[in-house]
Amino acid sequence: MTEAAPAREPTTPRTVLVDPGRHGAYPTVGAAVLGAPDGACVSISAGTYAETLELLDRSITLRAAEGAEVVLDGGGADVPVLRACGGALAVRGLTVRAGAAAAVQVENAELTLDGCTVSAEQGPGVAVRGPGPLSITGVTITGAEHGLVLEGASGVVENVTISDIAADGVIVGLGADPVIRSCTVGGCGQRGFYIYQHARPVVENCRVFRTGQAAIAVAHRGEPVLRRLSVSDALGVGIDVGPQCGGTIEGCDVTGTAEPAIRLAGSATARIVAGPGAAANRSVALDGLLADLDGMVGLPGVKAEVRALVDEIQVNAWRSRAGLATGALSHHLVFAGAPGTGKTTVARTYGRLLRELGVLPAGQFREVSRRDLVGQYIGHTAEKTAGVFEEALGGVLFIDEAYTLARQPASGGDFGQEAIDTLVKLMEDHREQIAVIVAGYTAEMRQFLAANPGLASRFAKTVEFEDYTPDQLVGIIGRMVTAGDYELDPRSGPALAAYFGRISAEPGFGNARDARRLFEAIRKVQSGRLSRLGRIPDAAELRGLTVGDVLGAMEGGQPY
C-alpha cells in the first residue's frame, strides 16, 4: 500500500536583506541572490550597487527597501545588468543603469517590473523574448538604443514612459500579443512603435510624439489594434501600415506629421474605424467612469465638484457644435486635504473623464513629486521640469505634496521656486493639452499658491478632500476584505468604528492609509492564528477574519 505524502502548508516567501553596512545582512545583491532560496524577496537598502546579475531558472524578487533609492549600475560592463533565463524575475522600485548591453533582458521567463527607472547607453532598456507572461507598470525608460523590445511575449505594459531613445521606442515582434495601454513614447530617433512579423498587440490610450521617422510602423504581417492614440510631431507619417499587414486603427488623433497622417499599403487589410457610434460609446464609457467615481466611499463634495466640471465641459462642447461662443476652460486643479483621502484615485479618474470627453487625447496619468522636478544647480530644474511636463502632455500631471516646492524663508539656494516659475509658464502655454493637478495639505497648499503671482490664477478651482468618518473607514475595510476574498465577522464593526474614532484625532492620521495598515495587520494576526492550528485550515477558516483577529491587530499584532 502506498502512503500519500502529507500535504504541505503554505509558506510565506522569505525576505533577505542587502545592506553593506549592517551586520547579518548580505553585502551585495549578487551574494543575496546566491544565498536566497527560490521564491525569496531580496530587499535592498539605499545605495548604488555596481553589479550585473544572471539568473538561470530562478524565481526571485528584487525590491528597494521602503523609502530607499537603489541603483543597480552596470555602466562599465558589456553584459545586461539583469538577465533572466527561465524562472521568474520581479523587480520593484529600482533604478537600473546599463552600458553597452540591455538594462533588463529576459528569455523564456516571467517578468514583473514595477515602479522602476531604466536606462542604457547602447543596448535596449528592457528586452523580453519568449511567452512571458510579463507585467511592466509605472516604469520610465530613457537614453537607450531601443526602449522596450517584446518578441513573442504576452502580458501587460501600462503607465510606462519611454523617452530620449536613439532608435525605436517600442518594438513588438515575432507574434507577441501584449496589451500596451496609457503609455507615453516620445523623443525617438526612428519610430515610436515598430510592430512586425505577425505581432498582434493591443495599443490603447497611448501618446506617441517627436519621432525621427513614422510614429507607428507596422510591417511583415503585423496585425495590431491601435485604439485612441494621440500621435503628433513625427518627421514621417503618423501611422504607416505595410503590405499584407492588418489590424484595426480606431479613434486615433494624428496631427503634425508628414502626409498622409495614416498610410496603408495597397495590400494592407487594416481597418480604419471612423466611429459612427463613437458618441454613443463615449457616453457609455463616461457613464461608467462617473459610476466608478460615485462608487468610492464618502467624498460627496468631491464627487459633486467633478460632476460639475464634466457638465461644464459637455455644455461647452454642445455650444461649440451649435456655433455659439465658448469660453476657454482650464483643466488645472488643486486637490487639498490630508493623506489617504482619495486624491490620487480621483485624479486618475479625472484624467480618464477628460479623455472620454475628448479634451485630452491620451488621458495618461503621470505622478511626480519634488525630486522629479527639482535639479541640483541653476538651470537644471527648469530643464527637468519642462521634460516631465512634456512627457505628460495629453494627460494628467499629478504633483503630490506640491507645497514642498515653495521657497522657504532664508533658503535662497532652494530650486523649488524655479520649478514653480517654470510650471506657471508651461501651464498657460499648454492649458488645452494637459491637466495639472497639485495636491497637499489645505494650509500648505495656500502657501504654495502664493509662491508665484500668477500661480493661483492658473487653476480652475480648489477641490477640498475631507477626512473620512469612522463609519466610512469601516466601509473601506469592508471593501478590502471583499477584494481580498476574506469574510469579516460582522461583530467586528463596533470595535473598528471605535478604533477609527480614536486614531482620527491623533496627529498624522492617515485616513484610508491607516485602514490599509490595519487590514494588513488583521491578516497577519489571522495567519499567526491559523499557523498554530496544527493542521491545514479549511477554506472557510482561510477566509474568516474573527473579532479576535481585529482586536489583536489593534493591540499591535498580538494574538487576542
Side-chain angles (χ1 to χ4, degrees):
M1 176 176 176
T2 303
E3 245 181 72
R8 299 177 62 183
E9 294 190 17
T11 58
T12 301
R14 181 181 169 191
T15 298
V16 299
L17 177 64
V18 177
D19 189 339
R22 182 171 174 179
H23 295 300
Y26 286 99
T28 66
V29 181
V33 169
L34 285 174
D38 261 4
C41 175
V42 178
S43 178
I44 309 170
S45 295
T48 298
Y49 298 80
E51 302 183 52
T52 62
L53 303 174
E54 184 172 29
L55 307 172
L56 303 178
D57 292 315
R58 295 294 309 275
S59 294
I60 288 288
T61 297
L62 304 179
R63 182 190 69 195
E66 186 173 355
E69 294 188 21
V70 177
V71 179
L72 289 183
D73 192 349
D78 58 359
V79 297
V81 181
L82 292 174
R83 180 171 182 258
C85 296
L89 172 64
V91 186
R92 304 184 188 277
L94 304 190
T95 295
V96 184
R97 297 175 183 161
V104 180
Q105 181 174 309
V106 171
E107 300 165 19
N108 298 313
E110 297 182 21
L111 174 67
T112 300
L113 282 182
D114 181 27
C116 296
T117 299
V118 176
S119 61
E121 294 176 7
Q122 296 179 29
V126 179
V128 181
R129 173 172 284 208
L134 61 87
S135 172
I136 303 176
T137 57
V139 171
T140 298
I141 303 174
T142 60
E145 181 179 4
H146 301 292
L148 176 62
V149 181
L150 307 176
E151 295 182 330
S154 299
V156 176
V157 178
E158 189 167 17
N159 291 322
V160 171
T161 298
I162 299 173
S163 62
D164 191 23
I165 302 299
D168 295 326
V170 179
I171 298 175
V172 187
L174 303 181
D177 59 353
V179 176
I180 302 174
R181 66 167 71 100
S182 302
C183 295
T184 300
V185 181
C188 302
Q190 295 182 9
R191 297 155 294 207
F193 279 82
Y194 179 49
I195 300 164
Y196 76 106
Q197 205 146 359
H198 302 280
R200 295 173 288 108
V202 175
V203 185
E204 58 187 3
N205 302 326
C206 293
R207 178 169 180 256
V208 188
F209 66 100
R210 213 173 70 243
T211 61
Q213 298 178 15
I216 300 171
V218 185
H220 306 299
R221 299 182 184 272
E223 295 187 1
V225 174
L226 308 177
R227 183 183 296 137
R228 294 191 300 275
L229 306 185
S230 170
V231 178
S232 63
D233 302 324
L235 297 185
V237 302
I239 302 174
D240 195 5
V241 182
Q244 298 181 315
C245 294
T248 303
I249 302 169
E250 179 183 344
C252 294
D253 181 21
V254 183
T255 60
T257 69
E259 294 295 335
I262 301 175
R263 180 168 63 193
L264 303 183
S267 59
T269 60
R271 296 184 308 115
I272 300 177
V273 180
N281 291 338
R282 173 167 291 175
S283 177
V284 170
L286 191 65
D287 289 345
L289 289 169
L290 290 171
D292 290 343
L293 180 70
D294 289 339
M296 294 179 66
V297 173
L299 307 177
V302 173
K303 294 170 184 176
E305 290 279 16
V306 173
R307 279 190 171 272
L309 290 167
V310 169
D311 291 344
E312 186 176 8
I313 292 168
Q314 282 189 313
V315 170
N316 221 36
W318 294 337
R319 286 181 59 86
S320 178
R321 284 199 291 270
L324 301 174
T326 59
L329 294 179
S330 169
H331 308 298
H332 309 317
L333 299 174
V334 178
F335 282 5
T341 49
K343 295 188 291 294
T344 304
T345 301
V346 173
R348 288 182 187 276
T349 302
Y350 181 62
R352 296 188 185 108
L353 286 166
L354 293 181
R355 181 192 67 211
E356 295 302 333
L357 287 164
V359 173
L360 297 179
Q364 81 274 13
F365 183 84
R366 179 76 191 277
E367 180 177 359
V368 299
S369 60
R370 175 189 167 90
R371 71 177 185 179
D372 299 300
L373 303 174
V374 175
Q376 298 177 344
Y377 50 84
I378 294 175
H380 186 211
T381 293
E383 176 186 343
K384 200 172 179 182
T385 300
V388 168
F389 191 94
E390 185 176 79
E391 291 169 2
L393 284 173
V396 172
L397 177 61
F398 182 76
I399 307 175
D400 198 15
E401 297 181 340
Y403 55 85
T404 60
L405 293 171
R407 182 185 294 130
Q408 299 299 315
S411 60
D414 182 79
F415 297 121
Q417 185 68 35
E418 187 179 351
I420 293 174
D421 297 342
T422 303
L423 283 169
V424 168
K425 183 177 187 307
L426 291 172
M427 288 168 65
E428 180 61 24
D429 292 346
H430 303 277
R431 64 180 178 180
E432 295 183 358
Q433 299 172 273
I434 192 172
V436 176
I437 300 177
V438 293
Y441 291 101
T442 300
E444 283 83 348
M445 292 307 294
R446 293 195 190 102
Q447 298 172 7
F448 167 75
L449 293 175
N452 180 292
L455 184 59
S457 65
R458 297 293 187 268
F459 294 95
K461 62 176 59 183
T462 296
V463 180
E464 292 284 349
F465 285 70
E466 298 180 353
D467 286 342
Y468 288 112
T469 67
D471 286 343
Q472 288 168 346
L473 290 166
V474 173
I476 290 172
I477 285 278
R479 293 190 177 200
M480 294 176 183
V481 167
T482 301
D485 201 14
Y486 289 93
E487 292 179 2
L488 180 65
D489 189 325
R491 293 174 296 178
S492 303
L496 286 168
Y499 172 79
F500 286 124
R502 184 172 70 254
I503 68 168
S504 62
E506 297 176 358
F509 172 55
N511 285 281
R513 295 181 187 177
D514 280 347
R516 167 62 65 182
R517 279 193 284 267
L518 178 61
F519 174 59
E520 295 299 333
I522 294 170
R523 291 175 54 192
K524 184 177 179 181
V525 174
Q526 184 227 34
S527 297
R529 172 174 59 80
L530 295 179
S531 69
R532 293 188 294 272
L533 289 177
R535 57 177 174 80
I536 298 177
D538 60 31
E541 290 171 321
L542 289 168
R543 281 195 296 267
L545 300 175
T546 67
V547 175
D549 296 335
V550 172
L551 295 176
M554 294 175 184
E555 295 297 326
Q558 299 301 317
Y560 197 88

